mmCIF file with all atom_site columns, all heavy atoms in Angstrom:
data_model
loop_
_atom_site.group_PDB
_atom_site.id
_atom_site.type_symbol
_atom_site.label_atom_id
_atom_site.label_alt_id
_atom_site.label_comp_id
_atom_site.label_asym_id
_atom_site.label_entity_id
_atom_site.label_seq_id
_atom_site.pdbx_PDB_ins_code
_atom_site.Cartn_x
_atom_site.Cartn_y
_atom_site.Cartn_z
_atom_site.occupancy
_atom_site.B_iso_or_equiv
_atom_site.pdbx_formal_charge
_atom_site.auth_seq_id
_atom_site.auth_comp_id
_atom_site.auth_asym_id
_atom_site.auth_atom_id
_atom_site.pdbx_PDB_model_num
ATOM 1   N N   . SER X 1 72  ? -7.324  13.775 -20.329 1.00 0.00 ? 72  SER X N   1
ATOM 2   C CA  . SER X 1 72  ? -7.975  12.649 -19.637 1.00 0.00 ? 72  SER X CA  1
ATOM 3   C C   . SER X 1 72  ? -9.382  13.059 -19.209 1.00 0.00 ? 72  SER X C   1
ATOM 4   O O   . SER X 1 72  ? -10.232 12.219 -18.943 1.00 0.00 ? 72  SER X O   1
ATOM 5   C CB  . SER X 1 72  ? -7.187  12.267 -18.376 1.00 0.00 ? 72  SER X CB  1
ATOM 6   O OG  . SER X 1 72  ? -5.867  11.937 -18.709 1.00 0.00 ? 72  SER X OG  1
ATOM 7   N N   . HIS X 1 73  ? -9.598  14.370 -19.091 1.00 0.00 ? 73  HIS X N   1
ATOM 8   C CA  . HIS X 1 73  ? -10.838 14.898 -18.519 1.00 0.00 ? 73  HIS X CA  1
ATOM 9   C C   . HIS X 1 73  ? -11.966 14.981 -19.559 1.00 0.00 ? 73  HIS X C   1
ATOM 10  O O   . HIS X 1 73  ? -13.121 14.678 -19.251 1.00 0.00 ? 73  HIS X O   1
ATOM 11  C CB  . HIS X 1 73  ? -10.557 16.300 -17.961 1.00 0.00 ? 73  HIS X CB  1
ATOM 12  C CG  . HIS X 1 73  ? -11.631 16.809 -17.064 1.00 0.00 ? 73  HIS X CG  1
ATOM 13  N ND1 . HIS X 1 73  ? -11.903 16.258 -15.831 1.00 0.00 ? 73  HIS X ND1 1
ATOM 14  C CD2 . HIS X 1 73  ? -12.512 17.815 -17.209 1.00 0.00 ? 73  HIS X CD2 1
ATOM 15  C CE1 . HIS X 1 73  ? -12.901 16.902 -15.262 1.00 0.00 ? 73  HIS X CE1 1
ATOM 16  N NE2 . HIS X 1 73  ? -13.295 17.850 -16.082 1.00 0.00 ? 73  HIS X NE2 1
ATOM 17  N N   . GLY X 1 76  ? -12.694 11.124 -20.724 1.00 0.00 ? 76  GLY X N   1
ATOM 18  C CA  . GLY X 1 76  ? -12.349 9.995  -19.865 1.00 0.00 ? 76  GLY X CA  1
ATOM 19  C C   . GLY X 1 76  ? -11.157 9.199  -20.360 1.00 0.00 ? 76  GLY X C   1
ATOM 20  O O   . GLY X 1 76  ? -10.473 9.598  -21.314 1.00 0.00 ? 76  GLY X O   1
ATOM 21  N N   . VAL X 1 77  ? -10.890 8.071  -19.708 1.00 0.00 ? 77  VAL X N   1
ATOM 22  C CA  . VAL X 1 77  ? -9.675  7.307  -19.988 1.00 0.00 ? 77  VAL X CA  1
ATOM 23  C C   . VAL X 1 77  ? -9.969  5.925  -20.593 1.00 0.00 ? 77  VAL X C   1
ATOM 24  O O   . VAL X 1 77  ? -9.078  5.084  -20.704 1.00 0.00 ? 77  VAL X O   1
ATOM 25  C CB  . VAL X 1 77  ? -8.799  7.168  -18.719 1.00 0.00 ? 77  VAL X CB  1
ATOM 26  C CG1 . VAL X 1 77  ? -8.267  8.526  -18.282 1.00 0.00 ? 77  VAL X CG1 1
ATOM 27  C CG2 . VAL X 1 77  ? -9.550  6.506  -17.570 1.00 0.00 ? 77  VAL X CG2 1
ATOM 28  N N   . PHE X 1 78  ? -11.245 5.707  -20.958 1.00 0.00 ? 78  PHE X N   1
ATOM 29  C CA  . PHE X 1 78  ? -11.605 4.472  -21.666 1.00 0.00 ? 78  PHE X CA  1
ATOM 30  C C   . PHE X 1 78  ? -12.177 4.831  -23.032 1.00 0.00 ? 78  PHE X C   1
ATOM 31  O O   . PHE X 1 78  ? -12.417 6.007  -23.314 1.00 0.00 ? 78  PHE X O   1
ATOM 32  C CB  . PHE X 1 78  ? -12.615 3.666  -20.850 1.00 0.00 ? 78  PHE X CB  1
ATOM 33  C CG  . PHE X 1 78  ? -12.026 3.136  -19.564 1.00 0.00 ? 78  PHE X CG  1
ATOM 34  C CD1 . PHE X 1 78  ? -12.331 3.702  -18.346 1.00 0.00 ? 78  PHE X CD1 1
ATOM 35  C CD2 . PHE X 1 78  ? -11.125 2.083  -19.595 1.00 0.00 ? 78  PHE X CD2 1
ATOM 36  C CE1 . PHE X 1 78  ? -11.755 3.236  -17.172 1.00 0.00 ? 78  PHE X CE1 1
ATOM 37  C CE2 . PHE X 1 78  ? -10.543 1.603  -18.435 1.00 0.00 ? 78  PHE X CE2 1
ATOM 38  C CZ  . PHE X 1 78  ? -10.861 2.180  -17.213 1.00 0.00 ? 78  PHE X CZ  1
ATOM 39  N N   . VAL X 1 90  ? -17.356 10.237 -12.571 1.00 0.00 ? 90  VAL X N   1
ATOM 40  C CA  . VAL X 1 90  ? -15.957 9.821  -12.336 1.00 0.00 ? 90  VAL X CA  1
ATOM 41  C C   . VAL X 1 90  ? -14.938 10.903 -12.688 1.00 0.00 ? 90  VAL X C   1
ATOM 42  O O   . VAL X 1 90  ? -13.779 10.818 -12.313 1.00 0.00 ? 90  VAL X O   1
ATOM 43  C CB  . VAL X 1 90  ? -15.592 8.516  -13.081 1.00 0.00 ? 90  VAL X CB  1
ATOM 44  C CG1 . VAL X 1 90  ? -16.234 7.327  -12.429 1.00 0.00 ? 90  VAL X CG1 1
ATOM 45  C CG2 . VAL X 1 90  ? -15.915 8.588  -14.541 1.00 0.00 ? 90  VAL X CG2 1
ATOM 46  N N   . ARG X 1 91  ? -15.382 11.940 -13.384 1.00 0.00 ? 91  ARG X N   1
ATOM 47  C CA  . ARG X 1 91  ? -14.485 13.048 -13.708 1.00 0.00 ? 91  ARG X CA  1
ATOM 48  C C   . ARG X 1 91  ? -13.842 13.687 -12.482 1.00 0.00 ? 91  ARG X C   1
ATOM 49  O O   . ARG X 1 91  ? -12.832 14.368 -12.581 1.00 0.00 ? 91  ARG X O   1
ATOM 50  C CB  . ARG X 1 91  ? -15.277 14.129 -14.431 1.00 0.00 ? 91  ARG X CB  1
ATOM 51  C CG  . ARG X 1 91  ? -15.089 14.094 -15.907 1.00 0.00 ? 91  ARG X CG  1
ATOM 52  C CD  . ARG X 1 91  ? -15.572 15.386 -16.465 1.00 0.00 ? 91  ARG X CD  1
ATOM 53  N NE  . ARG X 1 91  ? -15.575 15.332 -17.903 1.00 0.00 ? 91  ARG X NE  1
ATOM 54  C CZ  . ARG X 1 91  ? -16.583 15.751 -18.646 1.00 0.00 ? 91  ARG X CZ  1
ATOM 55  N NH1 . ARG X 1 91  ? -17.663 16.241 -18.077 1.00 0.00 ? 91  ARG X NH1 1
ATOM 56  N NH2 . ARG X 1 91  ? -16.496 15.696 -19.948 1.00 0.00 ? 91  ARG X NH2 1
ATOM 57  N N   . ALA X 1 92  ? -14.503 13.490 -11.321 1.00 0.00 ? 92  ALA X N   1
ATOM 58  C CA  . ALA X 1 92  ? -13.964 14.068 -10.084 1.00 0.00 ? 92  ALA X CA  1
ATOM 59  C C   . ALA X 1 92  ? -12.743 13.289 -9.587  1.00 0.00 ? 92  ALA X C   1
ATOM 60  O O   . ALA X 1 92  ? -12.050 13.728 -8.675  1.00 0.00 ? 92  ALA X O   1
ATOM 61  C CB  . ALA X 1 92  ? -15.051 14.057 -9.020  1.00 0.00 ? 92  ALA X CB  1
ATOM 62  N N   . VAL X 1 93  ? -12.472 12.138 -10.199 1.00 0.00 ? 93  VAL X N   1
ATOM 63  C CA  . VAL X 1 93  ? -11.377 11.278 -9.749  1.00 0.00 ? 93  VAL X CA  1
ATOM 64  C C   . VAL X 1 93  ? -10.052 11.768 -10.376 1.00 0.00 ? 93  VAL X C   1
ATOM 65  O O   . VAL X 1 93  ? -10.026 12.168 -11.538 1.00 0.00 ? 93  VAL X O   1
ATOM 66  C CB  . VAL X 1 93  ? -11.672 9.819  -10.166 1.00 0.00 ? 93  VAL X CB  1
ATOM 67  C CG1 . VAL X 1 93  ? -10.500 8.909  -9.877  1.00 0.00 ? 93  VAL X CG1 1
ATOM 68  C CG2 . VAL X 1 93  ? -12.936 9.313  -9.483  1.00 0.00 ? 93  VAL X CG2 1
ATOM 69  N N   . LEU X 1 94  ? -8.991  11.701 -9.566  1.00 0.00 ? 94  LEU X N   1
ATOM 70  C CA  . LEU X 1 94  ? -7.667  12.196 -10.003 1.00 0.00 ? 94  LEU X CA  1
ATOM 71  C C   . LEU X 1 94  ? -7.266  11.711 -11.404 1.00 0.00 ? 94  LEU X C   1
ATOM 72  O O   . LEU X 1 94  ? -6.774  12.476 -12.226 1.00 0.00 ? 94  LEU X O   1
ATOM 73  C CB  . LEU X 1 94  ? -6.627  11.730 -8.975  1.00 0.00 ? 94  LEU X CB  1
ATOM 74  C CG  . LEU X 1 94  ? -5.194  12.225 -9.163  1.00 0.00 ? 94  LEU X CG  1
ATOM 75  C CD1 . LEU X 1 94  ? -5.076  13.700 -8.798  1.00 0.00 ? 94  LEU X CD1 1
ATOM 76  C CD2 . LEU X 1 94  ? -4.219  11.401 -8.315  1.00 0.00 ? 94  LEU X CD2 1
ATOM 77  N N   . LEU X 1 95  ? -7.495  10.428 -11.653 1.00 0.00 ? 95  LEU X N   1
ATOM 78  C CA  . LEU X 1 95  ? -7.086  9.813  -12.920 1.00 0.00 ? 95  LEU X CA  1
ATOM 79  C C   . LEU X 1 95  ? -7.721  10.508 -14.127 1.00 0.00 ? 95  LEU X C   1
ATOM 80  O O   . LEU X 1 95  ? -7.207  10.462 -15.233 1.00 0.00 ? 95  LEU X O   1
ATOM 81  C CB  . LEU X 1 95  ? -7.507  8.336  -12.877 1.00 0.00 ? 95  LEU X CB  1
ATOM 82  C CG  . LEU X 1 95  ? -7.085  7.406  -14.006 1.00 0.00 ? 95  LEU X CG  1
ATOM 83  C CD1 . LEU X 1 95  ? -5.572  7.227  -14.018 1.00 0.00 ? 95  LEU X CD1 1
ATOM 84  C CD2 . LEU X 1 95  ? -7.759  6.040  -13.845 1.00 0.00 ? 95  LEU X CD2 1
ATOM 85  N N   . TYR X 1 96  ? -8.867  11.152 -13.903 1.00 0.00 ? 96  TYR X N   1
ATOM 86  C CA  . TYR X 1 96  ? -9.624  11.795 -14.982 1.00 0.00 ? 96  TYR X CA  1
ATOM 87  C C   . TYR X 1 96  ? -9.421  13.314 -15.028 1.00 0.00 ? 96  TYR X C   1
ATOM 88  O O   . TYR X 1 96  ? -10.101 13.990 -15.789 1.00 0.00 ? 96  TYR X O   1
ATOM 89  C CB  . TYR X 1 96  ? -11.127 11.540 -14.806 1.00 0.00 ? 96  TYR X CB  1
ATOM 90  C CG  . TYR X 1 96  ? -11.591 10.130 -15.082 1.00 0.00 ? 96  TYR X CG  1
ATOM 91  C CD1 . TYR X 1 96  ? -11.340 9.105  -14.186 1.00 0.00 ? 96  TYR X CD1 1
ATOM 92  C CD2 . TYR X 1 96  ? -12.312 9.829  -16.237 1.00 0.00 ? 96  TYR X CD2 1
ATOM 93  C CE1 . TYR X 1 96  ? -11.791 7.823  -14.415 1.00 0.00 ? 96  TYR X CE1 1
ATOM 94  C CE2 . TYR X 1 96  ? -12.777 8.538  -16.477 1.00 0.00 ? 96  TYR X CE2 1
ATOM 95  C CZ  . TYR X 1 96  ? -12.510 7.542  -15.557 1.00 0.00 ? 96  TYR X CZ  1
ATOM 96  O OH  . TYR X 1 96  ? -12.965 6.275  -15.789 1.00 0.00 ? 96  TYR X OH  1
ATOM 97  N N   . LYS X 1 97  ? -8.545  13.837 -14.198 1.00 0.00 ? 97  LYS X N   1
ATOM 98  C CA  . LYS X 1 97  ? -8.381  15.296 -14.171 1.00 0.00 ? 97  LYS X CA  1
ATOM 99  C C   . LYS X 1 97  ? -7.226  15.727 -15.072 1.00 0.00 ? 97  LYS X C   1
ATOM 100 O O   . LYS X 1 97  ? -6.273  14.973 -15.275 1.00 0.00 ? 97  LYS X O   1
ATOM 101 C CB  . LYS X 1 97  ? -8.075  15.766 -12.738 1.00 0.00 ? 97  LYS X CB  1
ATOM 102 C CG  . LYS X 1 97  ? -9.279  15.748 -11.799 1.00 0.00 ? 97  LYS X CG  1
ATOM 103 C CD  . LYS X 1 97  ? -8.875  16.311 -10.443 1.00 0.00 ? 97  LYS X CD  1
ATOM 104 C CE  . LYS X 1 97  ? -9.948  16.114 -9.391  1.00 0.00 ? 97  LYS X CE  1
ATOM 105 N NZ  . LYS X 1 97  ? -11.122 16.946 -9.572  1.00 0.00 ? 97  LYS X NZ  1
ATOM 106 N N   . ASP X 1 98  ? -7.297  16.944 -15.589 1.00 0.00 ? 98  ASP X N   1
ATOM 107 C CA  . ASP X 1 98  ? -6.189  17.561 -16.314 1.00 0.00 ? 98  ASP X CA  1
ATOM 108 C C   . ASP X 1 98  ? -5.621  18.684 -15.444 1.00 0.00 ? 98  ASP X C   1
ATOM 109 O O   . ASP X 1 98  ? -6.321  19.197 -14.567 1.00 0.00 ? 98  ASP X O   1
ATOM 110 C CB  . ASP X 1 98  ? -6.698  18.203 -17.622 1.00 0.00 ? 98  ASP X CB  1
ATOM 111 C CG  . ASP X 1 98  ? -7.123  17.164 -18.656 1.00 0.00 ? 98  ASP X CG  1
ATOM 112 O OD1 . ASP X 1 98  ? -6.634  16.014 -18.593 1.00 0.00 ? 98  ASP X OD1 1
ATOM 113 O OD2 . ASP X 1 98  ? -7.938  17.506 -19.535 1.00 0.00 ? 98  ASP X OD2 1
ATOM 114 N N   . HIS X 1 102 ? -5.616  18.809 -11.793 1.00 0.00 ? 102 HIS X N   1
ATOM 115 C CA  . HIS X 1 102 ? -4.882  17.586 -11.478 1.00 0.00 ? 102 HIS X CA  1
ATOM 116 C C   . HIS X 1 102 ? -3.663  17.894 -10.615 1.00 0.00 ? 102 HIS X C   1
ATOM 117 O O   . HIS X 1 102 ? -3.395  17.210 -9.623  1.00 0.00 ? 102 HIS X O   1
ATOM 118 C CB  . HIS X 1 102 ? -4.452  16.863 -12.768 1.00 0.00 ? 102 HIS X CB  1
ATOM 119 C CG  . HIS X 1 102 ? -3.624  15.648 -12.488 1.00 0.00 ? 102 HIS X CG  1
ATOM 120 N ND1 . HIS X 1 102 ? -2.248  15.676 -12.441 1.00 0.00 ? 102 HIS X ND1 1
ATOM 121 C CD2 . HIS X 1 102 ? -3.971  14.371 -12.194 1.00 0.00 ? 102 HIS X CD2 1
ATOM 122 C CE1 . HIS X 1 102 ? -1.796  14.471 -12.151 1.00 0.00 ? 102 HIS X CE1 1
ATOM 123 N NE2 . HIS X 1 102 ? -2.828  13.657 -11.996 1.00 0.00 ? 102 HIS X NE2 1
ATOM 124 N N   . LEU X 1 242 ? -10.828 5.473  -6.088  1.00 0.00 ? 242 LEU X N   1
ATOM 125 C CA  . LEU X 1 242 ? -9.727  5.284  -7.045  1.00 0.00 ? 242 LEU X CA  1
ATOM 126 C C   . LEU X 1 242 ? -8.705  4.279  -6.514  1.00 0.00 ? 242 LEU X C   1
ATOM 127 O O   . LEU X 1 242 ? -8.221  3.427  -7.248  1.00 0.00 ? 242 LEU X O   1
ATOM 128 C CB  . LEU X 1 242 ? -9.048  6.632  -7.345  1.00 0.00 ? 242 LEU X CB  1
ATOM 129 C CG  . LEU X 1 242 ? -7.825  6.574  -8.268  1.00 0.00 ? 242 LEU X CG  1
ATOM 130 C CD1 . LEU X 1 242 ? -8.193  6.017  -9.638  1.00 0.00 ? 242 LEU X CD1 1
ATOM 131 C CD2 . LEU X 1 242 ? -7.180  7.945  -8.431  1.00 0.00 ? 242 LEU X CD2 1
ATOM 132 N N   . PHE X 1 245 ? -9.968  0.841  -6.895  1.00 0.00 ? 245 PHE X N   1
ATOM 133 C CA  . PHE X 1 245 ? -9.928  0.454  -8.302  1.00 0.00 ? 245 PHE X CA  1
ATOM 134 C C   . PHE X 1 245 ? -8.485  0.279  -8.790  1.00 0.00 ? 245 PHE X C   1
ATOM 135 O O   . PHE X 1 245 ? -8.142  -0.715 -9.426  1.00 0.00 ? 245 PHE X O   1
ATOM 136 C CB  . PHE X 1 245 ? -10.640 1.548  -9.114  1.00 0.00 ? 245 PHE X CB  1
ATOM 137 C CG  . PHE X 1 245 ? -10.625 1.323  -10.601 1.00 0.00 ? 245 PHE X CG  1
ATOM 138 C CD1 . PHE X 1 245 ? -11.035 0.121  -11.146 1.00 0.00 ? 245 PHE X CD1 1
ATOM 139 C CD2 . PHE X 1 245 ? -10.224 2.330  -11.460 1.00 0.00 ? 245 PHE X CD2 1
ATOM 140 C CE1 . PHE X 1 245 ? -11.039 -0.079 -12.522 1.00 0.00 ? 245 PHE X CE1 1
ATOM 141 C CE2 . PHE X 1 245 ? -10.225 2.144  -12.835 1.00 0.00 ? 245 PHE X CE2 1
ATOM 142 C CZ  . PHE X 1 245 ? -10.630 0.929  -13.362 1.00 0.00 ? 245 PHE X CZ  1
ATOM 143 N N   . ALA X 1 246 ? -7.619  1.276  -8.462  1.00 0.00 ? 246 ALA X N   1
ATOM 144 C CA  . ALA X 1 246 ? -6.280  1.322  -9.077  1.00 0.00 ? 246 ALA X CA  1
ATOM 145 C C   . ALA X 1 246 ? -5.259  0.472  -8.341  1.00 0.00 ? 246 ALA X C   1
ATOM 146 O O   . ALA X 1 246 ? -4.280  0.023  -8.943  1.00 0.00 ? 246 ALA X O   1
ATOM 147 C CB  . ALA X 1 246 ? -5.785  2.775  -9.131  1.00 0.00 ? 246 ALA X CB  1
ATOM 148 N N   . PHE X 1 296 ? -4.653  2.896  -21.368 1.00 0.00 ? 296 PHE X N   1
ATOM 149 C CA  . PHE X 1 296 ? -5.603  3.970  -21.047 1.00 0.00 ? 296 PHE X CA  1
ATOM 150 C C   . PHE X 1 296 ? -5.746  4.825  -22.296 1.00 0.00 ? 296 PHE X C   1
ATOM 151 O O   . PHE X 1 296 ? -4.919  4.729  -23.220 1.00 0.00 ? 296 PHE X O   1
ATOM 152 C CB  . PHE X 1 296 ? -5.130  4.818  -19.855 1.00 0.00 ? 296 PHE X CB  1
ATOM 153 C CG  . PHE X 1 296 ? -5.533  4.268  -18.515 1.00 0.00 ? 296 PHE X CG  1
ATOM 154 C CD1 . PHE X 1 296 ? -4.587  4.090  -17.504 1.00 0.00 ? 296 PHE X CD1 1
ATOM 155 C CD2 . PHE X 1 296 ? -6.845  3.942  -18.236 1.00 0.00 ? 296 PHE X CD2 1
ATOM 156 C CE1 . PHE X 1 296 ? -4.947  3.580  -16.264 1.00 0.00 ? 296 PHE X CE1 1
ATOM 157 C CE2 . PHE X 1 296 ? -7.221  3.435  -16.999 1.00 0.00 ? 296 PHE X CE2 1
ATOM 158 C CZ  . PHE X 1 296 ? -6.270  3.250  -16.019 1.00 0.00 ? 296 PHE X CZ  1
ATOM 159 N N   . VAL X 1 297 ? -6.784  5.664  -22.289 1.00 0.00 ? 297 VAL X N   1
ATOM 160 C CA  . VAL X 1 297 ? -7.114  6.457  -23.484 1.00 0.00 ? 297 VAL X CA  1
ATOM 161 C C   . VAL X 1 297 ? -6.985  7.947  -23.156 1.00 0.00 ? 297 VAL X C   1
ATOM 162 O O   . VAL X 1 297 ? -7.160  8.353  -22.011 1.00 0.00 ? 297 VAL X O   1
ATOM 163 C CB  . VAL X 1 297 ? -8.567  6.101  -23.904 1.00 0.00 ? 297 VAL X CB  1
ATOM 164 C CG1 . VAL X 1 297 ? -9.161  7.125  -24.844 1.00 0.00 ? 297 VAL X CG1 1
ATOM 165 C CG2 . VAL X 1 297 ? -8.612  4.709  -24.529 1.00 0.00 ? 297 VAL X CG2 1
ATOM 166 N N   . ARG X 1 298 ? -6.646  8.748  -24.153 1.00 0.00 ? 298 ARG X N   1
ATOM 167 C CA  . ARG X 1 298 ? -6.709  10.206 -24.060 1.00 0.00 ? 298 ARG X CA  1
ATOM 168 C C   . ARG X 1 298 ? -7.482  10.723 -25.263 1.00 0.00 ? 298 ARG X C   1
ATOM 169 O O   . ARG X 1 298 ? -7.604  10.012 -26.274 1.00 0.00 ? 298 ARG X O   1
ATOM 170 C CB  . ARG X 1 298 ? -5.302  10.829 -24.083 1.00 0.00 ? 298 ARG X CB  1
ATOM 171 C CG  . ARG X 1 298 ? -4.327  10.311 -23.036 1.00 0.00 ? 298 ARG X CG  1
ATOM 172 C CD  . ARG X 1 298 ? -4.645  10.854 -21.646 1.00 0.00 ? 298 ARG X CD  1
ATOM 173 N NE  . ARG X 1 298 ? -3.559  10.577 -20.699 1.00 0.00 ? 298 ARG X NE  1
ATOM 174 C CZ  . ARG X 1 298 ? -3.520  9.521  -19.886 1.00 0.00 ? 298 ARG X CZ  1
ATOM 175 N NH1 . ARG X 1 298 ? -4.490  8.618  -19.895 1.00 0.00 ? 298 ARG X NH1 1
ATOM 176 N NH2 . ARG X 1 298 ? -2.494  9.364  -19.061 1.00 0.00 ? 298 ARG X NH2 1
ATOM 177 N N   . HIS X 1 355 ? 0.223   11.583 -14.810 1.00 0.00 ? 355 HIS X N   1
ATOM 178 C CA  . HIS X 1 355 ? -0.647  10.583 -14.171 1.00 0.00 ? 355 HIS X CA  1
ATOM 179 C C   . HIS X 1 355 ? 0.130   9.337  -13.752 1.00 0.00 ? 355 HIS X C   1
ATOM 180 O O   . HIS X 1 355 ? -0.476  8.366  -13.301 1.00 0.00 ? 355 HIS X O   1
ATOM 181 C CB  . HIS X 1 355 ? -1.785  10.174 -15.115 1.00 0.00 ? 355 HIS X CB  1
ATOM 182 C CG  . HIS X 1 355 ? -2.797  11.255 -15.299 1.00 0.00 ? 355 HIS X CG  1
ATOM 183 N ND1 . HIS X 1 355 ? -3.825  11.467 -14.413 1.00 0.00 ? 355 HIS X ND1 1
ATOM 184 C CD2 . HIS X 1 355 ? -2.914  12.203 -16.253 1.00 0.00 ? 355 HIS X CD2 1
ATOM 185 C CE1 . HIS X 1 355 ? -4.550  12.502 -14.821 1.00 0.00 ? 355 HIS X CE1 1
ATOM 186 N NE2 . HIS X 1 355 ? -4.016  12.963 -15.942 1.00 0.00 ? 355 HIS X NE2 1
ATOM 187 N N   . TRP X 1 394 ? -8.557  -4.829 -21.354 1.00 0.00 ? 394 TRP X N   1
ATOM 188 C CA  . TRP X 1 394 ? -7.948  -3.758 -20.560 1.00 0.00 ? 394 TRP X CA  1
ATOM 189 C C   . TRP X 1 394 ? -7.037  -4.280 -19.433 1.00 0.00 ? 394 TRP X C   1
ATOM 190 O O   . TRP X 1 394 ? -5.948  -3.776 -19.215 1.00 0.00 ? 394 TRP X O   1
ATOM 191 C CB  . TRP X 1 394 ? -9.039  -2.864 -19.952 1.00 0.00 ? 394 TRP X CB  1
ATOM 192 C CG  . TRP X 1 394 ? -8.467  -1.804 -19.094 1.00 0.00 ? 394 TRP X CG  1
ATOM 193 C CD1 . TRP X 1 394 ? -7.763  -0.694 -19.509 1.00 0.00 ? 394 TRP X CD1 1
ATOM 194 C CD2 . TRP X 1 394 ? -8.467  -1.756 -17.669 1.00 0.00 ? 394 TRP X CD2 1
ATOM 195 N NE1 . TRP X 1 394 ? -7.352  0.032  -18.416 1.00 0.00 ? 394 TRP X NE1 1
ATOM 196 C CE2 . TRP X 1 394 ? -7.775  -0.593 -17.284 1.00 0.00 ? 394 TRP X CE2 1
ATOM 197 C CE3 . TRP X 1 394 ? -9.010  -2.584 -16.668 1.00 0.00 ? 394 TRP X CE3 1
ATOM 198 C CZ2 . TRP X 1 394 ? -7.594  -0.233 -15.950 1.00 0.00 ? 394 TRP X CZ2 1
ATOM 199 C CZ3 . TRP X 1 394 ? -8.824  -2.234 -15.348 1.00 0.00 ? 394 TRP X CZ3 1
ATOM 200 C CH2 . TRP X 1 394 ? -8.132  -1.068 -15.003 1.00 0.00 ? 394 TRP X CH2 1
#
Side-chain angles (χ1 to χ4, degrees):
S72 302
H73 194 67
V77 294
F78 293 105
V90 287
R91 260 196 188 134
V93 173
L94 185 73
L95 186 66
Y96 288 75
K97 286 183 190 289
D98 290 336
H102 176 267
L242 177 61
F245 177 52
F296 273 129
V297 163
R298 305 286 191 265
H355 289 277
W394 178 71

